[in-house]
Amino acid sequence: MARVLSYPRLISMENFRQPNFPLVAELMAWLVKQYDPLADVSTSIEREQDRVIFIRTVAQTIATKAHLKLNTKKLYQADGYAVKEILKVITPLYQSLRESESKELEDEDDIDQQYRYAMNDDIGILKNARQLCSTITQKGANLHELLGKEIDAREARLEVMSRGTELSEVREGIREAENASKRESNKFTKLIENVQTDEVALDEKIAKRMEEKDRHQRRLDMLKSVRPSFMNDFEKFETELNELYSNYVLKFRILSYLEKELEGHFRNQREKVQEVSRQYMQAMNSQLTEQDQQRFNRQLQDPNDEIGVRSDEEE
């Protein structure tokens, strides 16, 4: 319903599983503005007195503007019971909005739709008439039963009216009323005395609890001031542990440094070996190239080689 009425936020029953007074206050202030835009509702709800004043103001405004009576106790609880009270306020707005929308739709519909809506209205009138008939029947039965008792009641009424009132009876009635009022007064006086007795008992319990608290506090302070027997050994072992940890950190740093240096040394050695191997291979390649060149030159200078003979024959 709140969504249909353009409430600025979504609301569900999960919000009221636990008392949620700020949400109830926000929603009720918004509803009061819907009924009376000029209404001045204080939104201060920090203190208990402010919340009571807020609930009272909202209830009075709703009763004046909407003629609805709200249960302020349930509304102050701000839980599932408060939802029922909120529904009392929001339902008329929702129904009026729906009725206005239905009227607009009826104005826009054609003749067939108007006939259909008229038929629905007739059905609603028939349902209301049937309900009224059952109510009239029930009321008539109750009235018939009461009229059956009218004969005895008439005789008793006439007897009382015909009998003259005596002064002694009046005095007796006044005396009985006085005694009844005294009994009521005594009862309330006893209740007040019981309340005072309960207050005294509670004060005694509070004083006793405060004494126990002071005693336990003194005992706690005493235990804090006493040094345990194992504290010397604890401090000694703690000092040794700090020294061992410092040595461990130092050795770990030295080991990490040495591992890093060793890895760098191995890397340099591998690079040197690779460089020597590369230079050796280059020297070997250059030497082999020079030997092949010399061999080829010797073959060219030799006149008895097969190449030269074939050349003379061909010539």
Side-chain angles (χ1 to χ4, degrees):
M1 292 183 181
R3 184 184 301 176
V4 174
L5 294 173
S6 301
Y7 186 65
R9 58 176 292 183
L10 297 177
I11 302 174
S12 64
M13 286 299 297
E14 296 295 330
N15 300 119
F16 299 98
R17 296 296 181 187
Q18 298 293 332
N20 192 354
F21 193 87
L23 180 58
V24 172
E26 179 183 352
L27 182 58
M28 291 304 299
W30 182 79
L31 289 173
V32 169
K33 291 293 184 180
Q34 297 300 315
Y35 279 99
D36 186 6
L38 300 178
D40 185 12
V41 180
S42 176
T43 58
S44 177
I45 55 172
E46 285 78 9
R47 297 181 301 174
E48 181 180 0
Q49 187 65 27
D50 295 336
R51 293 194 291 270
V52 172
I53 294 173
F54 174 83
I55 294 295
R56 185 180 300 170
T57 305
V58 168
Q60 291 177 355
T61 306
I62 294 298
T64 304
K65 300 297 180 179
H67 304 288
L68 296 173
K69 184 178 181 181
L70 299 179
N71 191 332
T72 56
K73 182 179 179 181
K74 292 182 179 179
L75 196 61
Y76 186 84
Q77 292 177 1
D79 53 5
Y81 293 100
V83 176
K84 297 180 180 179
E85 302 301 320
I86 295 173
L87 287 175
K88 292 181 182 178
V89 182
I90 202 171
T91 300
L93 295 173
Y94 178 81
Q95 291 178 352
S96 62
L97 180 62
R98 287 301 184 187
E99 289 176 359
S100 63
E101 291 178 354
S102 63
K103 289 181 180 179
E104 291 178 359
L105 291 174
E106 287 178 358
D107 295 334
E108 295 176 357
D109 290 340
D110 55 5
I111 299 175
D112 294 336
Q113 291 176 347
Q114 290 179 1
Y115 283 135
R116 187 170 65 251
Y117 287 141
M119 188 179 296
N120 292 332
D121 293 337
D122 293 338
I123 293 173
I125 292 171
L126 290 175
K127 289 182 179 179
N128 293 331
R130 185 177 299 173
Q131 185 177 1
L132 288 174
C133 289
S134 62
T135 304
I136 290 171
T137 304
Q138 184 179 1
K139 296 294 184 181
N142 294 332
L143 182 60
H144 181 271
E145 184 179 357
L146 293 174
L147 290 175
K149 298 178 180 179
E150 175 61 20
I151 299 175
D152 298 334
R154 185 188 303 168
E155 293 179 356
R157 186 170 60 251
L158 292 174
E159 183 179 357
V160 172
M161 292 175 63
S162 62
R163 187 178 61 185
T165 303
E166 297 182 0
L167 185 60
S168 59
E169 293 180 357
V170 175
R171 290 178 179 176
E172 186 66 24
I174 294 173
R175 191 178 296 110
E176 290 179 359
E178 184 181 0
N179 294 331
S181 62
K182 287 182 180 180
R183 287 194 297 269
E184 291 291 331
S185 177
N186 293 330
K187 182 175 69 173
F188 287 114
T189 303
K190 289 181 180 180
L191 291 175
I192 293 172
E193 291 176 355
N194 293 332
V195 169
Q196 293 176 353
T197 305
D198 294 337
E199 288 180 355
V200 173
L202 289 174
D203 292 337
E204 292 178 354
K205 288 183 179 179
I206 292 171
K208 185 177 180 181
R209 298 289 182 178
M210 291 298 293
E211 291 178 358
E212 292 180 357
K213 177 187 174 183
D214 295 337
R215 184 169 63 253
H216 291 307
Q217 186 66 36
R218 289 194 298 270
R219 184 177 179 183
L220 178 62
D221 297 337
M222 182 181 67
L223 291 175
K224 287 182 179 180
S225 62
V226 174
R227 182 180 178 85
S229 59
F230 59 86
M231 200 64 188
N232 295 327
D233 296 335
F234 175 78
E235 292 177 352
K236 178 181 177 182
F237 292 145
E238 186 178 9
T239 304
E240 293 178 359
L241 180 62
N242 291 329
E243 294 177 356
L244 291 174
Y245 181 73
S246 300
N247 294 330
Y248 167 75
V249 171
L250 179 61
K251 291 179 180 180
F252 181 78
R253 293 176 62 186
I254 295 172
L255 180 61
S256 300
Y257 176 75
L258 292 177
E259 288 178 350
K260 183 177 180 181
E261 291 294 326
L262 183 61
E263 183 180 356
H265 176 70
F266 285 156
R267 185 171 59 254
N268 294 331
Q269 292 295 327
R270 286 195 299 270
E271 292 177 355
K272 289 179 180 180
V273 170
Q274 291 176 359
E275 182 67 21
V276 171
S277 299
R278 185 175 60 80
Q279 292 177 0
Y280 176 75
M281 292 300 295
Q282 289 179 354
M284 290 295 293
N285 290 331
S286 62
Q287 186 177 3
L288 289 174
T289 304
E290 292 176 357
Q291 291 177 359
D292 292 339
Q293 186 67 30
Q294 293 176 1
R295 188 181 301 113
F296 181 72
N297 293 331
R298 285 196 303 269
Q299 290 177 357
L300 290 175
Q301 294 174 2
D302 190 359
N304 295 325
D305 57 355
E306 295 181 353
I307 299 174
V309 174
R310 280 198 300 273
S311 301
D312 295 336
E313 292 177 353
E314 287 174 358
E315 292 178 358

